[in-house]
Amino acid sequence: MAVMQIVGYKNSGKTTLICKLLEIFSAMNLRVAVIKHDVHGFEVDREHTDTFRHRQSGAIATAITSPWRTAIIEEQETRLADLIQHFDHYDMTIIEGFKKESYPKIVMIRNKEDLALLQDLTEIRAVVVRQEAEECLNHEGMVAALADSSLPCYKADEAEEIAKLIVLSILSQEN
């Protein structure tokens, strides 16, 4: 199963990068699934929809499907490994978040405090530095420190290069 995590702290640019990568992979005719981690809770049903009413009335799982889309909502946490297994028939799964999991990952850096992630996490394949962080990191000598590491380092606007890295990483996972 081809999996790549995009991790970083809140507002580090994970979703923006993933959306750019999805456009690139779609143009390459790759079928990509995305799993997002949300520690704050979320709602996908809107009030007054049938599935919302079903859940409000006590259903512990609901599903809705059409010829174009399917959504399943369960009132329980699902293990990441189970979600990945559910998407195993796609070309690739991108995971947004789940920092502590041990899948190959790209780490988003937005300020010098985020550099601690490089010490705390495993399976790091690359680092992506947001544009607004570059000046701060340059000023503090952090970009040089990143360059001295063996990790590839990209700017957030280098989505094409990051996509190439992911494709190469996925090919090596399959072999």
Side-chain angles (χ1 to χ4, degrees), residues 8-168:
Y9 291 121
K10 185 175 180 173
N11 296 322
S12 61
K14 299 180 299 290
T15 301
T16 300
L17 177 61
I18 289 170
C19 289
K20 289 177 185 175
L21 292 170
L22 289 169
E23 291 173 8
I24 294 165
F25 293 142
S26 179
M28 296 170 67
N29 293 319
L30 292 174
R31 297 175 345 118
V32 181
V34 178
I35 300 170
K36 178 177 173 56
H37 190 225
D38 185 339
V39 297
H40 305 292
F42 62 91
E43 285 293 326
V44 292
D45 270 342
R46 289 191 314 260
E47 195 171 358
H48 305 299
T49 63
D50 290 347
T51 53
F52 181 88
R53 291 177 58 209
H54 296 155
R55 287 180 41 239
Q56 292 301 105
S57 297
I60 58 170
T62 60
I64 185 168
T65 190
S66 74
W68 308 276
R69 168 178 307 146
T70 297
I72 299 170
I73 302 168
E74 297 180 302
E75 298 296 328
Q76 67 178 11
E77 181 178 18
T78 303
R79 291 176 342 123
L80 180 58
D82 293 337
L83 291 170
I84 291 169
Q85 183 64 38
H86 180 78
F87 292 132
D88 71 350
H89 59 286
Y90 295 104
D91 296 319
M92 162 189 344
T93 299
I94 296 176
I95 302 168
E96 180 176 337
F98 292 94
K99 285 184 217 60
K100 298 296 183 178
E101 293 289 335
S102 61
Y103 296 97
K105 58 184 61 77
I106 295 173
V107 179
M108 303 291 296
I109 302 294
R110 63 192 160 113
N111 58 42
K112 67 179 182 175
E113 288 78 22
D114 292 359
L115 292 171
L117 290 170
L118 302 179
Q119 305 303 316
D120 297 341
L121 302 179
T122 62
E123 302 296 325
I124 299 171
R125 299 295 188 265
V127 176
V128 176
V129 179
R130 282 184 44 174
Q131 186 173 353
E132 58 271 21
E134 288 179 52
E135 187 175 313
C136 171
L137 295 174
N138 265 330
H139 178 69
E140 308 213 2
M142 299 297 175
V143 169
L146 286 172
D148 288 342
S149 79
S150 60
L151 294 171
C153 189
Y154 299 94
K155 295 178 182 179
D157 63 356
E158 295 180 302
E160 291 277 345
E161 293 302 313
I162 297 166
K164 288 177 189 174
L165 173 86
I166 292 172
V167 169
L168 289 174

